[in-house]
Amino acid sequence: MTLSKCYQYISLNQDVQNIFQIIKKASGAGICTILDVEDSIEIPLHPERTKILKALARENLEMLLDLMDERNTQLPLSIRINMAGSEQFDKDIVMLNALAERLVWRSIVLPKTASTDYLQETHDTLKKVRYHELVIIAETADFFVNAQSIVKKCDELKIKKIQFGHWDYFYSVREFPTPLPDNVKLWEMVKKILKLIEGRDIEYVHTPYCFLFDHEGFHALANYLYHLAGRPIGLLGLTFSQCMQIMRQVQGVSSFNPRPDNYSREQKIEMAQNTIDFFENKNQEEFSFNIKKENHQFVAPHEYLGALHYLSENE
């Protein structure tokens, strides 16, 4: 199996020394880190707290650059900004413009890309910012409606990476529970993206694998995806150790077969209530996600919001 890259999102909502060390270690290991001011700091149902944390994250970015100068260390930096048209996006642009003379970004990642107009307008808004590449995320129902025109616009703007964001996508279509990594519903969407970029100079980057220590399962998925794509791919890791494991060449990888789920309405109601209880009883409010202790499963905030919606429609 051949990867083109392993990518890891790093929340800017944490100690700056810690961010610096993570990027330095990851960069030395060949992992492409992406600083995040979007979903990792989006606290569900707490917009005011979210605003405060995102403001602090932007301050942390400037402190990170100061620390790099102080240590005389050059690190490749990428960033995922907020959705164009939002208040947080406008603040991101002010920040990026203010930093334009200070650094050249390796990548700027555009979430929730939904149309050619969205893509062109975002591209134009970034005209004062220096960067090597734009990356788009396919994570809304509208992306797939407008997919053909979007990839043509990617060719025009020389955009060569498309990530799949399954948590956002399945929340946008109100699919509950969120499909797990081996669910056929998830792979139906992956195949649509691969078909879309077939014959184009665009790299597919796969949505994160949620089971943090199931390295065997992650390798099986990566092997399946590589053979499905027929060319090098990118994978998103949630932790440094996950990225390091998936970059290893492993022999005798187990088979991976997508499967359907057949949950009853009663099972879904129980799952929704369990998800809500899990999120509302957590102690840590500074990150949007949470991790189940029993199986080390990363649980995104979209699953909590999806559970709330499902119960409101089905109780």
Side-chain angles (χ1 to χ4, degrees):
M1 184 194 72
T2 304
L3 298 182
S4 56
K5 269 293 184 184
C6 188
Y7 304 87
Q8 181 188 353
Y9 278 105
I10 308 294
S11 175
L12 274 165
N13 180 33
Q14 55 183 309
D15 179 74
V16 173
Q17 290 276 359
N18 189 44
I19 298 171
F20 176 82
Q21 293 300 331
I22 293 172
I23 299 173
K24 187 177 179 180
K25 182 170 66 170
S27 179
I31 299 164
C32 176
T33 54
I34 305 169
L35 299 172
D36 189 32
V37 291
E38 197 226 6
D39 270 2
S40 66
I41 321 175
E42 194 79 31
I43 309 302
L45 307 182
H46 294 283
E48 293 306 314
R49 183 62 183 154
T50 295
K51 287 180 183 178
I52 292 170
L53 293 177
K54 292 197 175 188
L56 289 172
R58 295 186 191 96
E59 291 177 12
N60 283 347
L61 175 57
E62 294 201 47
M63 291 170 63
L64 174 64
L65 296 178
D66 290 341
L67 182 60
M68 287 169 56
D69 289 343
E70 179 185 314
R71 301 282 179 87
N72 196 27
T73 304
Q74 295 297 314
L75 296 173
L77 298 180
S78 298
I79 189 168
R80 176 171 63 176
I81 57 178
N82 286 278
M83 180 179 67
S86 67
E87 176 188 355
Q88 294 299 324
F89 173 81
D90 294 340
K91 292 181 178 180
D92 290 344
I93 296 301
V94 170
M95 172 191 69
L96 292 175
N97 285 340
L99 297 174
E101 295 303 316
R102 198 167 178 185
L103 80 160
V104 179
W105 294 97
R106 177 174 51 191
S107 307
I108 297 180
V109 182
L110 309 180
K112 301 175 178 64
T113 303
S115 68
T116 55
D117 287 344
Y118 177 100
L119 188 48
Q120 184 67 60
E121 289 169 10
T122 308
H123 174 271
D124 294 345
T125 304
L126 291 165
K127 62 185 177 183
K128 295 180 181 178
V129 182
R130 297 188 296 163
Y131 57 86
H132 292 298
E133 66 173 1
L134 289 180
V135 179
I136 67 171
I137 311 183
E139 54 184 350
T140 67
D142 284 343
F143 173 90
F144 291 94
V145 172
N146 301 312
Q148 291 290 343
S149 59
I150 288 173
V151 293
K152 288 179 182 177
K153 179 60 72 172
C154 286
D155 289 341
E156 179 186 326
L157 298 177
K158 295 181 172 54
I159 293 171
K160 298 183 181 298
K161 288 189 178 74
I162 297 180
Q163 292 182 18
F164 178 39
H166 85 284
W167 279 295
D168 270 288
Y169 171 73
F170 285 109
Y171 178 62
S172 77
V173 297
R174 297 298 186 265
E175 178 74 40
F176 184 84
T178 303
L180 290 171
D182 62 351
N183 192 298
V184 292
K185 294 174 184 174
L186 187 153
W187 287 95
E188 285 170 3
M189 308 316 297
V190 173
K191 289 175 182 177
K192 286 184 179 181
I193 299 175
L194 293 177
K195 182 69 175 175
L196 187 67
I197 64 175
E198 191 174 6
R200 284 187 158 90
D201 185 22
I202 296 178
E203 172 191 319
Y204 172 70
V205 182
H206 192 60
T207 191
Y209 188 73
C210 63
F211 297 106
L212 300 182
F213 293 124
D214 179 19
H215 302 313
E216 182 180 348
F218 197 8
H219 273 288
L221 179 151
N223 194 51
Y224 175 82
L225 176 56
Y226 172 66
H227 288 291
L228 192 65
R231 57 176 174 167
I233 53 170
L235 291 171
L236 281 165
L238 291 165
T239 64
F240 176 79
S241 65
Q242 224 187 16
C243 288
M244 289 301 293
Q245 283 290 331
I246 204 61
M247 290 170 68
R248 292 172 54 237
Q249 297 298 316
V250 176
Q251 302 299 319
V253 176
S254 60
S255 62
F256 178 88
N257 296 300
R259 59 179 180 79
D261 62 47
N262 296 294
Y263 299 119
S264 66
R265 178 176 174 274
E266 290 72 21
Q267 286 174 311
K268 287 185 176 183
I269 288 173
E270 182 179 1
M271 293 168 76
Q273 190 59 62
N274 288 341
T275 300
I276 291 167
D277 292 343
F278 174 66
F279 261 83
E280 293 184 351
N281 290 334
K282 74 173 186 173
N283 296 320
Q284 191 175 9
E285 290 292 348
E286 302 305 293
F287 294 101
S288 62
F289 56 85
N290 206 350
I291 296 170
K292 291 183 178 178
K293 292 180 180 179
E294 63 271 20
N295 62 353
H296 305 287
Q297 180 184 350
F298 176 99
V299 184
H302 314 75
E303 299 182 58
Y304 170 62
L305 297 173
L308 289 171
H309 179 267
Y310 188 82
L311 279 192
S312 71
E313 294 291 309
N314 287 277
E315 268 194 325

